[in-house]
Structure formats: C-alpha cells, structure tokens
Amino acid sequence: GAGVSQTPSNKVTEKGKYVELRCDPISGHTALYWYRQSLGQGPEFLIYFQGTGAADDSGLPNDRFFAVRPEGSVSTLKIQRTERGDSAVYLCASSPNPPGLAGGGSYNEQFFGPGTRLTVL
Amino acid sequence: GQSLEQPSEVTAVEGAIVQINCTYQTSGFYGLSWYQQHDGGAPTFLSYNALDGLEETGRFSSFLSRSDSYGYLLLQELQMKDSASYFCAVNSGNTPLVFGKGTRLSVIA
C-alpha cells in the first residue's frame, strides 16, 4: 500500500517568504506527527495531531510555525516570515495508534515520509 | 527535560557484530524505539522495547534495562547495506517520540 507522502520534496525560498509543506499520511492512521531534522541531528518533534486536533504543539519553535489537519487526514505545515535558521528537512510521520499506550513490538511504530528539504536563502 | 545519549559514530567490519548503546533521562517512560535512516532517506522503524530484556528480529536485536535507563541495538552478520544512521527514541507517555542525535554506522569490507 501507499506510504506517507510529502510535497514538495524540495523547497527553496527567500528569507521572509511564506511556505506550506504538505503531508499525506497512510490511510486510516489517526495520529500524525511533524518533525524537523537538521544535518547530523535526530528528528526534532514539532507537533502531533490525533484526528483533526493538535494534541501537542509544544515543539513548535515560535508563532511563525502553524499546522492544520482539517479533515483528519492530510496535514499542512505553514511557516511565515521564513528565516535562514528554518532550513532543514521537515519530516512527517503517521501511526495507527496514538502514542503513550502500552504495547510491544511494532505497536508504537511511526511511519515516516521522505521529507521536504527546505532551504531559506 | 529529556535527553538521550548515543555514540556519534561506529565502524565495524562486514560479517561482524556491533552494539549501539543508548542511555536516556526522561520525566516519564513507556518504551524505547530504534529507527534506521539511510542518507537522504526516511527513518524506518526497527524495534520497540517496553519491558526489560532482549527483543530479537532477524539479524537485529534490541535490549532494554529500565532500572539502568539503558538500551542497546545489536546488529549481527553485518552487511554493507547496514551502513546508516541509527536513532534511539523514547516514548514517554502522551508526548511523541524524543530522538537521540543518532549513531552513524559505517560497515567496511
């Protein structure tokens, strides 16, 4: 079946511009996550959706970042007034189960998309 | 706060066994996950340990000691394709995963 897809794969923009990054999760997955990954670092949590609502947005660095998931499937990460420090790979992941539940093996697996590489000039 | 420590780089010979350690400090703990990421690729799930002990999946095994806040990933019969970055990640409850900085594994002939 289809995995998590993200568009665009690459985005180059100028400082101060607005960008939107899209994530299509695996069909039926209720949980959706956005992460940001800089070179040589692990994914850094940004925001988590359970259904349509943002269950945890504690990772968003500031109010220039915003994300929506209006119908509980596709999500869009929006960045206003981009800065050079926003340059990174933005990863989206989905899972059939919300985090924090007990379960072994692959129960807590998150399925990642290929990411969007954002470059702010 | 939450933090995870893992070695930044490991080099091992094809066919050998390598162990990647991870220690963590978190305010809550449900389990420890391991993910593999090839250069330019997406992280892919390898294993999850909620209870103490060893979980084996083919050539890969993962171990957890909750009392020591420690886990490791064991890769056996190393292949060149195993060259990648490996991340441990903590599931600490209702918050999503917190990842370590990753260990870059280089498998040499």
Side-chain angles (χ1 to χ4, degrees):
Chain A
V4 178
S5 63
Q6 293 186 244
T7 55
S9 55
N10 280 283
K11 177 70 177 178
V12 180
T13 190
E14 293 180 343
K15 180 175 178 295
K17 298 291 188 182
Y18 168 83
V19 296
E20 289 189 354
L21 312 178
R22 177 188 167 106
C23 171
D24 272 277
I26 293 173
S27 178
H29 282 194
T30 59
L32 184 146
Y33 314 81
W34 283 99
Y35 295 87
R36 177 169 69 175
Q37 187 173 27
S38 300
L39 193 64
Q41 301 293 315
E44 173 194 7
F45 166 70
L46 296 176
I47 186 170
Y48 150 59
F49 287 89
Q50 184 60 35
T52 60
D56 185 344
D57 64 357
S58 62
L60 295 178
N62 50 60
D63 61 6
R64 295 187 298 106
F65 289 74
F66 188 71
V68 295
R69 193 186 186 199
E71 298 179 357
S73 55
V74 171
S75 176
T76 304
L77 178 66
K78 309 180 181 191
I79 311 175
Q80 299 177 319
R81 306 183 303 280
T82 52
E83 300 177 356
R84 293 194 179 88
D86 299 335
S87 296
V89 175
Y90 288 80
L91 294 165
C92 175
S94 69
S95 66
N97 308 298
L101 297 182
S106 63
Y107 186 88
N108 282 269
E109 178 177 359
Q110 292 187 18
F111 297 80
F112 281 81
T116 294
R117 181 175 298 279
L118 175 66
T119 303
V120 182
L121 301 176
Chain B
Q2 302 180 84
S3 67
L4 293 91
E5 295 289 332
Q6 52 181 129
S8 58
E9 293 184 1
V10 172
T11 300
V13 177
E14 191 176 17
I17 299 172
V18 71
Q19 178 174 313
I20 300 174
N21 298 320
C22 174
T23 57
Y24 57 87
Q25 285 187 313
T26 61
S27 54
F29 183 83
Y30 273 71
L32 188 71
S33 298
W34 288 92
Y35 283 78
Q36 177 193 61
Q37 186 177 31
H38 286 97
D39 285 348
T44 56
F45 175 85
L46 293 176
S47 67
Y48 176 77
N49 294 67
L51 303 175
D52 286 356
L54 192 68
E55 295 272 349
E56 298 183 63
T57 309
R59 295 188 296 115
F60 293 3
S61 302
S62 57
F63 172 82
L64 176 66
S65 169
R66 296 175 67 113
S67 59
D68 294 325
S69 298
Y70 164 75
Y72 65 72
L73 179 69
L74 190 73
L75 296 84
Q76 303 182 72
E77 301 171 18
L78 280 173
Q79 303 175 8
M80 301 300 284
K81 68 178 182 179
D82 296 330
S83 294
S85 292
Y86 293 83
F87 297 91
C88 57
V90 165
N91 179 333
S92 59
N94 289 324
T95 56
L97 293 176
V98 177
F99 283 82
K101 292 187 177 181
T103 298
R104 188 172 185 87
L105 171 64
S106 298
V107 180
I108 59 175

